[in-house]
Amino acid sequence: MMAGFGHGTRGYPRSRGRTWSHTGPDRATLGIIGAICAVAGFFALGIVLGPVAIFCGWQSMGRSWSGERNVPALVALVLGAIDTLLAAIALAGAATWGNGLL
């Protein structure tokens, strides 16, 4: 583009990817989705829903620990981590030698 010849992007604040895309879900919605996935992960598919909850919570927090945090995002992050850890322990326990070989 010819940005140096009087056609700069200063007059067009939404040009060339400078602002957030408004087509996806907002941060509050991601926090609620993550919290629902975290709670549902305790009952079924914890190894899948736990990381989904962690991802949604982290995206809802703005991918940083500083700044304001909404409660559903923090709940999704913490419960998703617990859910993933419990599912990994359950999978490791199911893969031991004593289950069904004798």
Side-chain angles (χ1 to χ4, degrees), residues 70-100:
N70 54 358
V71 175
L74 195 59
V75 167
L77 194 67
V78 171
L79 288 182
I82 293 170
D83 193 17
T84 304
L85 182 67
L86 289 176
I89 290 172
L91 282 174
T96 59
W97 286 101
N99 286 339

Side-chain angles (χ1 to χ4, degrees), residues 18-35:
R18 298 220 184 253
T19 58
W20 177 260
S21 173
H22 293 286
T23 58
D26 59 348
R27 288 185 177 175
T29 306
L30 275 175
I32 293 170
I33 289 171

Side-chain angles (χ1 to χ4, degrees), residues 32-44 46 49-50 53 75-76 79-80 83:
I32 293 170
I33 289 171
I36 290 172
C37 286
V39 171
F42 282 113
F43 300 106
L49 292 176
V75 167
L79 288 182
D83 193 17

Side-chain angles (χ1 to χ4, degrees), residues 1-78:
M1 302 208 98
M2 299 174 60
F5 295 105
H7 299 289
T9 59
R10 186 168 296 201
Y12 305 100
R14 302 190 121 219
S15 66
R16 305 267 324 176
R18 298 220 184 253
T19 58
W20 177 260
S21 173
H22 293 286
T23 58
D26 59 348
R27 288 185 177 175
T29 306
L30 275 175
I32 293 170
I33 289 171
I36 290 172
C37 286
V39 171
F42 282 113
F43 300 106
L45 294 173
I47 197 68
V48 175
L49 292 176
V52 169
I54 292 172
F55 177 77
C56 289
W58 183 247
Q59 292 294 320
S60 178
M61 287 172 59
R63 295 179 292 182
S64 69
W65 290 106
S66 61
E68 55 133 312
R69 292 184 205 114
N70 54 358
V71 175
L74 195 59
V75 167
L77 194 67
V78 171

